[in-house]
Amino acid sequence: MEKRYCIQFFFIIIISISVFIFEYSRNPTKTHRNTNLRSTSILDDGVHNPNHHFTDTPLHPLDPLTVPEINKVRSILSAYEPFSSSFPSINALSLDEPDKSQVLSWKTGDPLPPRRASVVSFVDGQTHLLTVDLDLGVVTGDVVNVGSGYPMLTSEDLTTSLQVLYSSMEFNNSILARGVDFNDLTCTPPSPGWFGPDEEGKRIIKVRCFSSQNTPNYYMRPIEGLTVSVDIDKREIVKLTDTGRDIPVPKETNTDYRYTTQSPFSDVNPEINAMSMEQLRGPSFTVENGHTVKWANWVFHIKPDIRAGMIISQAMVRAENGEYRSVMYKGFASELFVPYMDPDQSWYFRTFMDAGEFGLGATAMALVELNDCPRHSYYMDGVFAGADGRPIIQPNMICIFERYAGDIGWRHSEIPAMGFDIRESRPKVTLVARMTASVGNYDYIFDWEFQTDGLIRVKVGLSGMLMVKATPYENIYNISNTDDMIGPLVSENVIGVVHDHYIAFHLDMDIDAPNNSFAEVNLVKEETLPGQSPRKSYLKASRKVAKTEDDAKIKLKLYDPSEFHVFNPGQRSRLGNPTGYKIVPGGNAASLLDLDDPPQIRAAFTNNQIWVTPHNKSEEWAGGLLVSQSKGEDTLAVWSARNREIENKDIVLWYTLGFHHIPCQEDFPIMPTVSSSFELKPVNFFDRNPILNAKPTFQKDLPVCLATSSY
Amino acid sequence: MEKRYCIQFFFIIIISISVFIFEYSRNPTKTHRNTNLRSTSILDDGVHNPNHHFTDTPLHPLDPLTVPEINKVRSILSAYEPFSSSFPSINALSLDEPDKSQVLSWKTGDPLPPRRASVVSFVDGQTHLLTVDLDLGVVTGDVVNVGSGYPMLTSEDLTTSLQVLYSSMEFNNSILARGVDFNDLTCTPPSPGWFGPDEEGKRIIKVRCFSSQNTPNYYMRPIEGLTVSVDIDKREIVKLTDTGRDIPVPKETNTDYRYTTQSPFSDVNPEINAMSMEQLRGPSFTVENGHTVKWANWVFHIKPDIRAGMIISQAMVRAENGEYRSVMYKGFASELFVPYMDPDQSWYFRTFMDAGEFGLGATAMALVELNDCPRHSYYMDGVFAGADGRPIIQPNMICIFERYAGDIGWRHSEIPAMGFDIRESRPKVTLVARMTASVGNYDYIFDWEFQTDGLIRVKVGLSGMLMVKATPYENIYNISNTDDMIGPLVSENVIGVVHDHYIAFHLDMDIDAPNNSFAEVNLVKEETLPGQSPRKSYLKASRKVAKTEDDAKIKLKLYDPSEFHVFNPGQRSRLGNPTGYKIVPGGNAASLLDLDDPPQIRAAFTNNQIWVTPHNKSEEWAGGLLVSQSKGEDTLAVWSARNREIENKDIVLWYTLGFHHIPCQEDFPIMPTVSSSFELKPVNFFDRNPILNAKPTFQKDLPVCLATSSY
């Protein structure tokens, strides 16, 4: 048991490293501090340790590769002639999903469609896109990438980059000159982006470092102006920028956010009595065969994914006649673009593509029970492959819970004037699937929330740490012109650099069937004719069905509003209305960068908030399959430039949720969660309100909880 | 006891009638049906019946008038010479709040500032705006309104209009011709709006009727095309429109939404285990002196208001040093504009101003325990005056509860690569104050949610019934050109007319003191200079402080984004940043009606999403004080046209939250709640994250609940 746990934990470390971070350690004291840190964390909740994964078998065509399957892929690859000399580094290894038709025709009890794995491996300077057939036991496809872009970096790559870094006299001198103790040195490899010819043809890591002196929150203590670009294949420094020696490492040390190091609760911030959501008979949902969630009128398949983090598949809702009706075949976060707004030498390249460069699943740590997710949550582990092709368990990576927030599903009161005295109300209970990605400093909280009225809400929360820039200034009175600042001062010597976040969601809607159409229902002002009405104007809805992709490239406009419907042209409601779902935007932000700025070219999926494309298995990643240093020739914008037909076709809806973030002092040293969301809402999909007969809550339905006071 | 209850209930009926609805009853069977309806409602929760109101005394300068005070006002008015002949009809009677300076200088224990009542009374064709001094026992002010607009209608007015209506042979013939049983007749008086000279100088009620045959949901059974305009002072019909005799009353009768009449739960809509939010030691908030709420680091005053529904005053949050700091002096829903998009004779005038014409508090019925508000909620009653000047109790009109929705206050995980193994997360618990207004068919849910990180979220939910239009069509195949429809078919013979909702919030922000300024922090694209950087562009925040009102008339723009700050120019953070709050819009909609369309003139506060005005006690109601039939010369847009100075002044921030509503079949026969919100968020108000030392939840902190299963 214990041994296995250690093995798993080791795996976690490996993949974590392989993901994007590595801390240099030149003496054993680190280990001690490490131990101390562990002992002071609040992980006493004890992460689940499900050893049964070692005998998992897939039960659904979309189930992720199991531990045995991953091991089998590894042995197949070992026997693959080109790799026989030495096993290659595995940059990605996951299920190659069967074709949609195979999945849709599959019924429980049927044999699974052929199990295949897609593997990305960087060998001898080339990126191999491999297909491995587990049933045949052979590699059935091996395509070498000829375009730009590299796969995710591995732990070896990162180790290499740091070895090169630390063997550099110039680097070490700079660290010494800045008075930073090597034991406090923490270096991270932000992605290099793509900025022109001098960095092409080589795999680059741009390393920057921090001082973790007296705090685990090293993000708040950057060593400014020191950036080292390493060619990890040639094992040489391409460029070392050292412009900030005069900029002090921020002194503020009260940045530790761990509970165990906080001063006890003061009157200033009084304790709130902890709460939990309780049910008399426990949760109403079940998880069958490990990945199929059934709750109320919903059923869907959910799985962890090393890149998307979490994938919802075959979401179906029950209709009046008791049959499940398809709503969405596949939904997931496809790419996450985070451009920082500083053209400075050591900052311009910080234009991250978190899903494609780091992986939202790869950076998803185990959720903190009772805090990340409420009591009675169901936890799901991630099963991935590491750089060595061996299986890795990410424990408690997804949680699923039923949610009651005191909201109202529907209500009406009648004025009790003679006649009707009615007060009816229904509580809103929903189901949430959540995962969180800690992509370095930033934490992303992804929620998929399902409602009994058919609505799906997708919510993204942002927390974690700012990426800050050190500055000589301690307060803004020292600053001659604050308008020149690239962000506000959030602590002494610390600037919170202005940045954006854009999360592109791939929403393969299948309203009752794969073939759907997209309609824009535009609200237009109509002027009345003279004498027609005392009113001068009113709004009228005009519906326009998109024929090709260009018709569905949407920029949201407050003063030219529309509803955006995905509907099934072959399906009508009882009254003859097209049955569909609409996407309902909430708060959003748009990218304002130049269309020909390299980061914007790579993240061109942010050129519109909404896109619609024909379903294409090779078009899943809005920023491209191979994102590192890519030039953006494999993005949603490029695919969609073909302006393909999308009417009555199997179409995919794309929505990008954006945030502008001008930091403030409240974001220091850790950010209160900021969130935004959008909704997928049934529109004439049901013949009437599907929760008309929802049950109200009565006292007798509620649990009896000890020591709870009641008004 | 019982007797008192009956008296109170009678009062509720009276005010309800006085609000806007009256059902004609010409035989006793109504009473029986009434009884049946009562017996089949889910009101067994039993509405609180707080008799102590009869001895209430005010304890805070902003406390609403008490029952004894209202009685005193009535006796003072009775003795007022002009009214000595006959007691006038009271259209409004509420506390005349003391000047801000008096309230701010008041300390607990001090004697209250002079208690005054402001009264609106319509006497002999004139609107009197009266001020009554309760200490002096005299009327100290009596101003006759010379502008347009009338006060809210009274029960007598409505009775009159219906008497006139029913004595009309033409009306009765039309009802007979349509085959509607007079016993099923339910008539409501929508507001007439303002549409030109022929309706000016007289108080008009435009009555429309429904058939409640076999359903309490009469809204779904309109008698189309029959509209009667009654001059309630001359007691005569001004105009009778009867154009729809060929349009059938919609037949669909399965529109009853009451639980007791629903078919038992089917597999199609399985039962969800009821949930409640539970705490080991009960709620963490207290309500002192009836209206002062203390929770976590917040304290604020809250009171029911017959017009605004709910008023939050003197919201203060505790700072690091333990002192309470002012955030908002007064916040409330000022007006609610609901234009329907149909120029038709019987529809064009449906451009409601729900707060000013009907009253959000006057239409707030008792909340349904466990369904409108969660278990352990604190309920507050409304104390108002009826048309006869006598006190009325609206029981359980506001609820206050602590909320845990499974959300995360802040979090961060560190990659457990050698060095840091950290997983920290804090649950988000908030405090919600809620009231719901049932303005005829529509239900509005108003939430003010307070967070420990200083954020205030204002959320509006829409539920209840659509205002529908009868049509000969049973499905859209019968309709030659659906583009000509003024709304979608939502049931056989029923059209859901397209409409908007606009809720204007009055937000008197006092960041640390009354004198504040408003700044727009605009994000602007900057182009880099040749050779400056490999980046071509980036965003920069440029801050502009508004000098006058015109500088702060804001239309939100996705592609020209800004933050909107209210800050205290005399107050700086530790680092020298201006301390303030920003308003963070969420989803919103803008009015597209002609600026010179009568409804838009009256609701000109929707011409911008944000306005800032200097504090002015007479500028509280964005659509004007006297809204019925007003011409819009007393609106926010008119006040603000003076373009007054607003820099370093006591300013009021106005925000309008909008919804476009294109109905769908899911909205029939009752609408699942749709909601949107905006936030008031601290920006450099705190020197650092104020919830850095928030406590995580541990198992031991949670209640022990019986019969709850746990994974």
Side-chain angles (χ1 to χ4, degrees), chain B residues 13 318 447 467 497 503 511 601 682 686:
Chain B
I13 293 181
R318 227 194 261 105
D447 283 0
M467 184 168 283
V497 178
I503 305 98
I511 306 302
I601 291 169
F686 296 101

Side-chain angles (χ1 to χ4, degrees), chain A residues 208 219-222 224 247-248 250 340-342 347 350 465-476 479 481-482 484-499 661-665 667-668, chain B residues 575 577:
Chain A
R208 73 177 305 220
Y219 303 105
M220 297 302 116
R221 312 200 66 216
E224 200 56 54
I247 303 172
Y340 283 80
M341 303 302 175
D342 185 352
W347 276 80
R350 301 182 195 211
M465 256 61 74
L466 289 170
M467 184 168 283
V468 301
K469 184 176 191 177
T471 170
Y473 300 115
E474 297 209 337
N475 64 62
I476 70 171
I479 303 169
N481 181 2
T482 54
D484 287 346
M485 296 176 68
I486 45 78
L489 206 62
V490 296
S491 179
E492 286 77 4
N493 306 114
V494 181
I495 288 174
V497 179
V498 174
H499 59 281
H661 189 176
I662 304 174
C664 58
Q665 287 178 241
D667 293 331
F668 184 92
Chain B
L575 304 172
N577 290 310

